[in-house]
Amino acid sequence: MKLFVGIDPGAASGAWGIVDHHGKYWSRGDIPSEDGKIKARMFRAELSQAIDRQDAIICIEDVHSMPGQGVSSTFKFGRAVGAIDAIADMMFGFWHIVSPQRWKKAMGVNQDKLKSLTVARELWPNAPLSRMKDHGRAEALLIAEYLRRTHG
């Protein structure tokens, strides 16, 4: 069975989601962090456990600093993205990168976090996405589904 992993990066609010080769919900979670730093070993262990020796490919949202972000916030965000990239490299050797505009257009969503939650809840009614703050998890699952549809 092939799994598709989606990553919505963030220094304190990143998330991951996994769907199987049929597009069924597999797993999801938040990227563990503390004080704006990714807990890399914990994140790698969580992903490894979720994948459970299945064949998997990964796609990371191509993110950048935002105008108006402070230097400290930008630096923390860059460190988080670098840690996520390094974990993807160690675990998968190769990863896909997709712009937010590309995957959101393909999945029928926009900047509205509620829209992402709504679409994810429709696609995976059994996925635990009941809270508004689950929008990162929802977007990670949508990135995984985008990857499945484009590289499955």
Side-chain angles (χ1 to χ4, degrees):
M1 175 182 314
K2 190 172 206 173
L3 299 178
F4 298 86
V5 181
I7 304 285
D8 182 16
S13 61
W16 55 272
I18 304 173
V19 297
D20 73 9
H21 64 285
H22 295 296
K24 292 184 180 178
Y25 168 76
W26 185 268
S27 188
R28 59 85 193 114
D30 296 321
I31 297 174
S33 66
E34 187 174 292
D35 298 327
K37 295 178 186 169
I38 299 296
K39 297 177 104 180
R41 276 193 247 177
M42 185 181 288
F43 179 39
R44 183 177 180 185
E46 284 181 9
L47 269 185
S48 292
Q49 183 177 17
I51 292 167
D52 191 31
R53 296 182 298 271
Q54 302 292 320
D55 182 29
I57 60 173
I58 189 169
C59 185
I60 302 170
E61 185 180 55
D62 190 16
V63 292
H64 305 280
S65 61
M66 303 291 284
Q69 258 185 328
V71 175
S72 178
S73 296
T74 300
F75 189 74
K76 282 182 182 178
F77 188 64
R79 283 182 65 162
V81 172
I84 292 166
D85 287 353
I87 291 164
D89 189 49
M90 286 186 293
M91 290 183 68
F92 302 94
F94 174 81
W95 65 95
H96 298 274
I97 297 173
V98 64
S99 71
Q101 297 82 5
R102 176 169 283 177
W103 77 258
K104 286 181 181 194
K105 181 178 180 184
M107 297 307 298
V109 299
N110 53 31
Q111 300 284 356
D112 183 6
K113 303 295 185 187
L114 183 57
K115 177 72 172 168
S116 293
L117 265 171
T118 300
V119 170
R121 287 170 179 160
E122 289 170 1
L123 287 170
W124 306 287
N126 62 327
L129 300 170
S130 60
R131 306 168 305 168
M132 184 60 192
K133 72 182 209 173
D134 290 331
H135 65 82
R137 295 171 177 183
E139 292 199 344
L141 283 165
L142 292 170
I143 293 166
E145 178 62 11
Y146 165 83
L147 179 63
R148 185 189 74 82
R149 291 180 184 186
T150 57
H151 293 86

